[in-house]
Amino acid sequence: MEKVVEAVRRAESIVVSTGAGMSVESGIAPFRGENGLWSKFDPHEMASVTAFRSDPEKCWTLFKLQIEECFYAEPHQGYSAVVALEEHGLDAVITQNVDGLHQKAGSEKVLELHGTLNDLLCDSCGNQKKTEDLVDEILEKKIPRCECGTVMRPDVVLFGEPLPQRTLRRAWSAVENCSLLINIGTSAVVQPAASLPLTAKRSGAVIVEVNVEKTPLTPSMDHFLEGKAGDVLVELLERLES
Ligand code: OAD
């Protein structure tokens, strides 16, 4: 921890990259592992672009659960610590999460690689709506439709779809120009997000991982902080500001 605190003090530009483990302490289930979403649902049947085209109502059983879980979740103290890192050189938060908790906590420089549950999208006419305007109906199991009649979907990246290219370009640029990257709560198995830390390292950055367990990227890390994201980030900030 002390070495990471020093690295933060020295860093000119910091990038934080987060995955589902960041939100576990806010009560949101991760994707992999025993209690993960993908142990209960097959993503190819429920969260892929082909599944949505062939049976959007079926996909909405999963979307509704995700919206229900994420919409009323509150960011934990670790999120506030990430906000506070803006005073210490944080230039970007790159997240694979679709729950919007970084913004809810007050982070301003958030790049959502996998989209957001907070917006709804019509694939036919491109119309967008705010999820919050329809959340009561969605939770009553009403499937949102666009004025054109098409079933809408959350504006998240479904399996088989490309990532939002502009966001991805901004993420690569932040990573290539940072001097410290902190990778938090991701199993590091989904590309291209899993490549961000090594890209940062190749560009000369120090890379740090925060996770409750080791991942395929752990051996490449300069520092591994084992523990829950909230606990570790709060301790990091306390030491930084003491
Ligand atoms: P995963 O569910 O694959 O991994 C979550 C990671 O968080 C694991 O490495 C856990 O060990 C770790 N973890 C769990 N609790 C933690 C805690 N309290 N503090 C810190 N770490 C903790 O989630 P992601 O890596 O985010 O994509 O998954 C990547 C993508 O796969 C998701 O964005 C989603 C999924 O398919 C799409 O839906 C497009």
Side-chain angles (χ1 to χ4, degrees):
M1 176 61 86
E2 214 38 59
K3 285 183 178 159
V4 176
V5 172
E6 277 313 308
V8 173
R9 288 206 174 108
R10 274 198 306 269
E12 282 174 14
S13 169
I14 303 171
V15 166
V16 163
S17 166
T18 60
M22 179 72 189
S23 294
V24 166
E25 290 152 89
S26 286
I28 300 176
F31 293 94
R32 296 173 182 79
E34 218 181 316
N35 298 316
L37 215 50
W38 298 156
S39 68
K40 301 184 185 99
F41 299 97
D42 178 347
H44 298 286
E45 275 182 28
M46 305 290 282
S48 71
V49 67
T50 37
F52 186 72
R53 278 181 197 144
S54 65
D55 195 346
E57 282 84 3
K58 185 175 171 190
C59 294
W60 263 101
T61 49
L62 174 61
F63 299 154
K64 182 208 163 237
L65 280 179
Q66 288 183 287
I67 289 171
E68 199 162 32
E69 192 172 54
C70 296
F71 207 76
Y72 298 106
E74 288 300 326
H76 57 71
Q77 291 288 301
Y79 279 95
S80 310
V82 172
V83 177
L85 282 179
E86 287 179 14
E87 299 294 315
H88 298 271
L90 179 69
D91 277 329
V93 177
I94 303 171
T95 188
Q96 297 169 76
N97 299 344
V98 293
D99 52 37
L101 287 188
H102 282 294
Q103 292 93 329
K104 210 171 185 178
S107 281
E108 289 184 358
K109 302 165 178 175
V110 185
L111 298 171
E112 294 174 306
L113 286 185
H114 293 168
T116 175
L117 288 169
N118 286 322
D119 295 325
L120 301 172
L121 177 68
C122 171
D123 276 341
S124 295
C125 68
N127 190 16
Q128 286 193 307
K129 294 187 184 185
K130 286 279 160 211
T131 307
E132 67 177 347
D133 294 337
L134 295 169
V135 71
D136 293 339
E137 291 146 61
I138 289 170
L139 298 187
E140 282 166 19
K141 294 193 184 165
K142 280 193 201 137
I143 292 172
R145 282 185 184 273
C146 179
E147 281 70 24
C148 75
T150 306
V151 173
M152 298 189 84
R153 51 175 277 191
D155 193 5
V156 297
V157 175
L158 298 175
F159 280 70
E161 283 183 323
L163 270 58
Q165 292 301 301
R166 194 162 161 262
T167 306
L168 190 57
R169 276 197 300 275
R170 290 173 65 193
W172 285 128
S173 166
V175 162
E176 281 164 0
N177 290 300
C178 75
S179 45
L180 172 67
L181 181 141
I182 310 177
N183 206 43
I184 306 167
T186 170
S187 56
V189 294
V190 173
Q191 295 294 353
S195 298
L196 297 173
L198 294 183
T199 303
K201 190 167 187 171
R202 275 196 297 275
S203 306
V206 172
I207 58 173
V208 177
E209 183 172 49
V210 178
N211 203 306
V212 290
E213 61 186 27
K214 292 191 169 137
T215 73
L217 281 183
T218 309
S220 308
M221 290 288 158
D222 295 302
H223 306 288
F224 175 65
L225 298 176
E226 187 172 354
K228 293 181 181 174
D231 295 346
V232 172
L233 287 167
V234 167
E235 187 184 341
L236 174 65
L237 191 74
E238 277 171 6
R239 292 212 197 183
L240 195 58
E241 296 188 340
S242 68

Short mmCIF file of all heavy atoms in Angstrom, two decimals, residues 18-22 24-25 30-32 38 96-97 114 157-159 184-190 210-213 215 227-230, ligand 1:
data_model
loop_
_atom_site.label_atom_id
_atom_site.label_comp_id
_atom_site.label_asym_id
_atom_site.label_seq_id
_atom_site.Cartn_x
_atom_site.Cartn_y
_atom_site.Cartn_z
N THR A 18 -12.40 0.34 -13.98
CA THR A 18 -13.19 -0.49 -13.06
C THR A 18 -14.05 -1.53 -13.78
O THR A 18 -14.47 -1.34 -14.92
CB THR A 18 -14.13 0.37 -12.19
OG1 THR A 18 -15.03 1.10 -13.03
CG2 THR A 18 -13.37 1.33 -11.32
N GLY A 19 -14.29 -2.63 -13.05
CA GLY A 19 -15.20 -3.67 -13.50
C GLY A 19 -16.23 -3.95 -12.41
O GLY A 19 -16.31 -3.22 -11.41
N ALA A 20 -16.98 -5.03 -12.61
CA ALA A 20 -18.13 -5.32 -11.76
C ALA A 20 -17.78 -5.42 -10.27
O ALA A 20 -18.62 -5.12 -9.41
CB ALA A 20 -18.81 -6.60 -12.22
N GLY A 21 -16.56 -5.84 -9.94
CA GLY A 21 -16.16 -5.96 -8.53
C GLY A 21 -16.22 -4.63 -7.80
O GLY A 21 -16.38 -4.60 -6.58
N MET A 22 -16.11 -3.54 -8.54
CA MET A 22 -16.19 -2.20 -7.91
C MET A 22 -17.56 -1.99 -7.29
O MET A 22 -17.70 -1.29 -6.30
CB MET A 22 -15.90 -1.13 -8.98
CG MET A 22 -15.97 0.29 -8.49
SD MET A 22 -14.56 0.71 -7.43
CE MET A 22 -15.07 2.32 -6.80
N VAL A 24 -19.73 -4.42 -6.19
CA VAL A 24 -20.23 -5.51 -5.34
C VAL A 24 -20.62 -4.98 -3.96
O VAL A 24 -21.67 -5.33 -3.41
CB VAL A 24 -19.18 -6.65 -5.24
CG1 VAL A 24 -19.50 -7.61 -4.11
CG2 VAL A 24 -19.10 -7.40 -6.57
N GLU A 25 -19.79 -4.08 -3.41
CA GLU A 25 -20.11 -3.53 -2.08
C GLU A 25 -21.30 -2.56 -2.11
O GLU A 25 -21.79 -2.15 -1.07
CB GLU A 25 -18.88 -2.83 -1.48
CG GLU A 25 -17.79 -3.81 -1.08
CD GLU A 25 -16.42 -3.17 -1.15
OE1 GLU A 25 -15.99 -2.59 -0.16
OE2 GLU A 25 -15.79 -3.25 -2.22
N PRO A 30 -21.68 -9.37 -9.52
CA PRO A 30 -20.76 -9.38 -10.67
C PRO A 30 -21.29 -10.35 -11.75
O PRO A 30 -22.40 -10.87 -11.63
CB PRO A 30 -19.45 -9.88 -10.06
CG PRO A 30 -19.88 -10.74 -8.92
CD PRO A 30 -21.17 -10.17 -8.40
N PHE A 31 -20.51 -10.57 -12.78
CA PHE A 31 -20.94 -11.44 -13.88
C PHE A 31 -20.47 -12.87 -13.70
O PHE A 31 -21.20 -13.82 -13.95
CB PHE A 31 -20.43 -10.89 -15.22
CG PHE A 31 -21.08 -9.59 -15.56
CD1 PHE A 31 -20.48 -8.39 -15.22
CD2 PHE A 31 -22.31 -9.56 -16.18
CE1 PHE A 31 -21.09 -7.18 -15.49
CE2 PHE A 31 -22.94 -8.37 -16.45
CZ PHE A 31 -22.33 -7.16 -16.11
N ARG A 32 -19.20 -13.01 -13.24
CA ARG A 32 -18.63 -14.34 -13.15
C ARG A 32 -18.53 -14.79 -11.69
O ARG A 32 -18.76 -14.00 -10.80
CB ARG A 32 -17.26 -14.37 -13.85
CG ARG A 32 -17.44 -14.10 -15.33
CD ARG A 32 -16.19 -13.93 -16.14
NE ARG A 32 -16.60 -13.63 -17.51
CZ ARG A 32 -17.01 -12.42 -17.92
NH1 ARG A 32 -17.00 -11.41 -17.09
NH2 ARG A 32 -17.42 -12.25 -19.17
N TRP A 38 -23.84 -14.43 -14.93
CA TRP A 38 -23.71 -15.44 -16.01
C TRP A 38 -23.75 -16.87 -15.47
O TRP A 38 -23.69 -17.82 -16.26
CB TRP A 38 -22.44 -15.21 -16.83
CG TRP A 38 -22.34 -13.90 -17.56
CD1 TRP A 38 -21.18 -13.31 -17.95
CD2 TRP A 38 -23.40 -13.03 -18.03
NE1 TRP A 38 -21.44 -12.12 -18.60
CE2 TRP A 38 -22.78 -11.93 -18.67
CE3 TRP A 38 -24.78 -13.05 -17.97
CZ2 TRP A 38 -23.51 -10.87 -19.24
CZ3 TRP A 38 -25.51 -11.99 -18.53
CH2 TRP A 38 -24.88 -10.94 -19.15
N GLN A 96 -16.20 -0.64 -17.22
CA GLN A 96 -16.98 -1.62 -17.98
C GLN A 96 -18.40 -1.68 -17.41
O GLN A 96 -19.25 -2.36 -17.96
CB GLN A 96 -16.35 -3.00 -17.89
CG GLN A 96 -14.96 -3.10 -18.48
CD GLN A 96 -14.29 -4.42 -18.11
OE1 GLN A 96 -14.59 -5.46 -18.66
NE2 GLN A 96 -13.37 -4.37 -17.16
N ASN A 97 -18.61 -1.00 -16.30
CA ASN A 97 -19.91 -1.11 -15.62
C ASN A 97 -20.97 -0.24 -16.29
O ASN A 97 -20.67 0.82 -16.82
CB ASN A 97 -19.76 -0.74 -14.15
CG ASN A 97 -18.80 -1.67 -13.43
OD1 ASN A 97 -18.49 -2.75 -13.94
ND2 ASN A 97 -18.30 -1.27 -12.29
N HIS A 114 -18.96 -0.05 -21.91
CA HIS A 114 -20.04 -0.98 -22.25
C HIS A 114 -21.42 -0.33 -22.20
O HIS A 114 -22.43 -1.01 -22.08
CB HIS A 114 -19.99 -2.22 -21.34
CG HIS A 114 -18.76 -3.06 -21.56
ND1 HIS A 114 -18.37 -4.07 -20.71
CD2 HIS A 114 -17.83 -3.04 -22.55
CE1 HIS A 114 -17.25 -4.63 -21.16
NE2 HIS A 114 -16.91 -4.02 -22.27
N VAL A 157 -23.78 -2.31 -24.38
CA VAL A 157 -23.19 -3.12 -25.45
C VAL A 157 -23.65 -4.56 -25.25
O VAL A 157 -23.38 -5.17 -24.21
CB VAL A 157 -21.65 -3.01 -25.42
CG1 VAL A 157 -21.03 -3.95 -26.44
CG2 VAL A 157 -21.22 -1.57 -25.65
N LEU A 158 -24.36 -5.08 -26.24
CA LEU A 158 -24.79 -6.48 -26.17
C LEU A 158 -23.69 -7.36 -26.78
O LEU A 158 -22.86 -6.87 -27.57
CB LEU A 158 -26.10 -6.66 -26.94
CG LEU A 158 -27.30 -5.86 -26.41
CD1 LEU A 158 -28.51 -6.03 -27.33
CD2 LEU A 158 -27.65 -6.30 -24.98
N PHE A 159 -23.68 -8.64 -26.42
CA PHE A 159 -22.72 -9.56 -27.02
C PHE A 159 -22.90 -9.54 -28.53
O PHE A 159 -24.03 -9.62 -29.02
CB PHE A 159 -22.91 -10.98 -26.46
CG PHE A 159 -22.27 -11.16 -25.11
CD1 PHE A 159 -22.80 -10.53 -23.99
CD2 PHE A 159 -21.14 -11.92 -24.95
CE1 PHE A 159 -22.21 -10.66 -22.74
CE2 PHE A 159 -20.53 -12.07 -23.71
CZ PHE A 159 -21.08 -11.44 -22.60
N ILE A 184 -9.43 -1.95 -11.10
CA ILE A 184 -10.17 -2.35 -9.89
C ILE A 184 -11.34 -3.29 -10.21
O ILE A 184 -12.21 -2.95 -11.05
CB ILE A 184 -10.73 -1.09 -9.18
CG1 ILE A 184 -9.62 -0.07 -8.91
CG2 ILE A 184 -11.45 -1.49 -7.88
CD1 ILE A 184 -10.13 1.30 -8.49
N GLY A 185 -11.36 -4.45 -9.57
CA GLY A 185 -12.55 -5.30 -9.59
C GLY A 185 -12.97 -5.80 -10.96
O GLY A 185 -14.16 -5.83 -11.25
N THR A 186 -12.00 -6.21 -11.75
CA THR A 186 -12.37 -6.84 -13.02
C THR A 186 -11.61 -8.15 -13.17
O THR A 186 -10.43 -8.24 -12.79
CB THR A 186 -12.13 -5.92 -14.24
OG1 THR A 186 -12.30 -6.69 -15.44
CG2 THR A 186 -10.77 -5.26 -14.24
N SER A 187 -12.30 -9.16 -13.72
CA SER A 187 -11.67 -10.47 -13.91
C SER A 187 -10.67 -10.43 -15.06
O SER A 187 -9.94 -11.39 -15.27
CB SER A 187 -12.74 -11.54 -14.15
OG SER A 187 -13.54 -11.17 -15.26
N ALA A 188 -10.66 -9.34 -15.81
CA ALA A 188 -9.68 -9.13 -16.88
C ALA A 188 -9.72 -10.23 -17.93
O ALA A 188 -8.69 -10.69 -18.41
CB ALA A 188 -8.27 -8.99 -16.28
N VAL A 189 -10.93 -10.64 -18.28
CA VAL A 189 -11.07 -11.65 -19.33
C VAL A 189 -11.82 -11.13 -20.55
O VAL A 189 -11.93 -11.81 -21.56
CB VAL A 189 -11.76 -12.95 -18.82
CG1 VAL A 189 -10.88 -13.64 -17.78
CG2 VAL A 189 -13.14 -12.68 -18.26
N VAL A 190 -12.39 -9.93 -20.44
CA VAL A 190 -13.17 -9.40 -21.56
C VAL A 190 -12.38 -8.29 -22.26
O VAL A 190 -11.93 -7.34 -21.62
CB VAL A 190 -14.55 -8.86 -21.08
CG1 VAL A 190 -15.29 -8.16 -22.20
CG2 VAL A 190 -15.39 -10.01 -20.53
N VAL A 210 -6.44 -3.86 -7.93
CA VAL A 210 -7.18 -4.01 -6.67
C VAL A 210 -8.24 -5.07 -6.91
O VAL A 210 -9.09 -4.93 -7.79
CB VAL A 210 -7.87 -2.68 -6.26
CG1 VAL A 210 -8.69 -2.88 -4.99
CG2 VAL A 210 -6.87 -1.55 -6.10
N ASN A 211 -8.18 -6.16 -6.15
CA ASN A 211 -9.14 -7.24 -6.37
C ASN A 211 -9.16 -8.15 -5.14
O ASN A 211 -8.17 -8.19 -4.40
CB ASN A 211 -8.75 -8.05 -7.63
CG ASN A 211 -9.92 -8.81 -8.24
OD1 ASN A 211 -10.60 -9.58 -7.57
ND2 ASN A 211 -10.16 -8.57 -9.53
N VAL A 212 -10.27 -8.84 -4.95
CA VAL A 212 -10.32 -9.79 -3.82
C VAL A 212 -9.57 -11.08 -4.15
O VAL A 212 -9.29 -11.89 -3.27
CB VAL A 212 -11.78 -10.13 -3.42
CG1 VAL A 212 -12.45 -8.94 -2.75
CG2 VAL A 212 -12.60 -10.62 -4.61
N GLU A 213 -9.26 -11.26 -5.45
CA GLU A 213 -8.46 -12.44 -5.83
C GLU A 213 -7.58 -12.11 -7.03
O GLU A 213 -7.78 -11.09 -7.68
CB GLU A 213 -9.39 -13.63 -6.15
CG GLU A 213 -10.33 -13.35 -7.30
CD GLU A 213 -11.35 -14.45 -7.53
OE1 GLU A 213 -11.68 -15.18 -6.59
OE2 GLU A 213 -11.78 -14.57 -8.70
N THR A 215 -5.96 -12.35 -10.79
CA THR A 215 -6.55 -12.48 -12.13
C THR A 215 -5.42 -12.83 -13.10
O THR A 215 -4.24 -12.82 -12.73
CB THR A 215 -7.19 -11.15 -12.58
OG1 THR A 215 -6.12 -10.23 -12.91
CG2 THR A 215 -8.07 -10.54 -11.51
N GLY A 227 -8.02 -7.14 -1.68
CA GLY A 227 -9.07 -6.69 -0.75
C GLY A 227 -10.25 -6.15 -1.51
O GLY A 227 -10.26 -6.09 -2.75
N LYS A 228 -11.27 -5.76 -0.75
CA LYS A 228 -12.48 -5.20 -1.36
C LYS A 228 -12.19 -3.79 -1.84
O LYS A 228 -11.52 -3.01 -1.15
CB LYS A 228 -13.61 -5.18 -0.34
CG LYS A 228 -14.07 -6.56 0.07
CD LYS A 228 -15.21 -6.43 1.05
CE LYS A 228 -15.69 -7.80 1.50
NZ LYS A 228 -16.70 -7.69 2.55
N ALA A 229 -12.77 -3.47 -2.99
CA ALA A 229 -12.50 -2.17 -3.61
C ALA A 229 -12.74 -1.02 -2.64
O ALA A 229 -11.90 -0.12 -2.51
CB ALA A 229 -13.38 -2.01 -4.86
N GLY A 230 -13.87 -1.05 -1.95
CA GLY A 230 -14.21 0.05 -1.04
C GLY A 230 -13.17 0.20 0.05
O GLY A 230 -12.65 1.29 0.29
P1 OAD B 1 -16.54 -10.14 -13.58
O1 OAD B 1 -17.77 -10.58 -12.90
O2 OAD B 1 -16.01 -10.97 -14.68
O3 OAD B 1 -15.36 -10.00 -12.51
C1 OAD B 1 -15.52 -9.31 -11.30
C2 OAD B 1 -14.18 -9.23 -10.61
O4 OAD B 1 -14.35 -8.48 -9.42
C3 OAD B 1 -13.56 -10.56 -10.22
O5 OAD B 1 -12.19 -10.57 -10.57
C4 OAD B 1 -13.74 -10.60 -8.69
O6 OAD B 1 -12.66 -11.29 -8.05
C5 OAD B 1 -13.67 -9.12 -8.35
N1 OAD B 1 -14.37 -8.74 -7.12
C6 OAD B 1 -15.50 -9.24 -6.58
N2 OAD B 1 -15.87 -8.56 -5.49
C7 OAD B 1 -14.96 -7.58 -5.34
C8 OAD B 1 -14.81 -6.50 -4.40
N3 OAD B 1 -15.66 -6.29 -3.40
N4 OAD B 1 -13.74 -5.68 -4.57
C9 OAD B 1 -12.86 -5.85 -5.58
N5 OAD B 1 -12.96 -6.84 -6.49
C10 OAD B 1 -13.99 -7.68 -6.37
O7 OAD B 1 -16.79 -8.63 -14.03
P2 OAD B 1 -16.04 -7.78 -15.16
O8 OAD B 1 -14.59 -8.11 -15.21
O9 OAD B 1 -16.42 -6.37 -14.95
O10 OAD B 1 -19.80 -7.17 -20.30
O11 OAD B 1 -16.74 -8.32 -16.47
C11 OAD B 1 -16.41 -7.73 -17.69
C12 OAD B 1 -17.58 -7.76 -18.61
O12 OAD B 1 -18.08 -9.11 -18.73
C13 OAD B 1 -18.80 -6.99 -18.15
O13 OAD B 1 -18.71 -5.60 -18.40
C14 OAD B 1 -19.90 -7.62 -18.94
C15 OAD B 1 -19.52 -9.07 -18.78
O14 OAD B 1 -19.94 -9.92 -19.81
C16 OAD B 1 -20.90 -6.98 -21.04
O15 OAD B 1 -22.02 -7.23 -20.62
C17 OAD B 1 -20.65 -6.43 -22.40
#
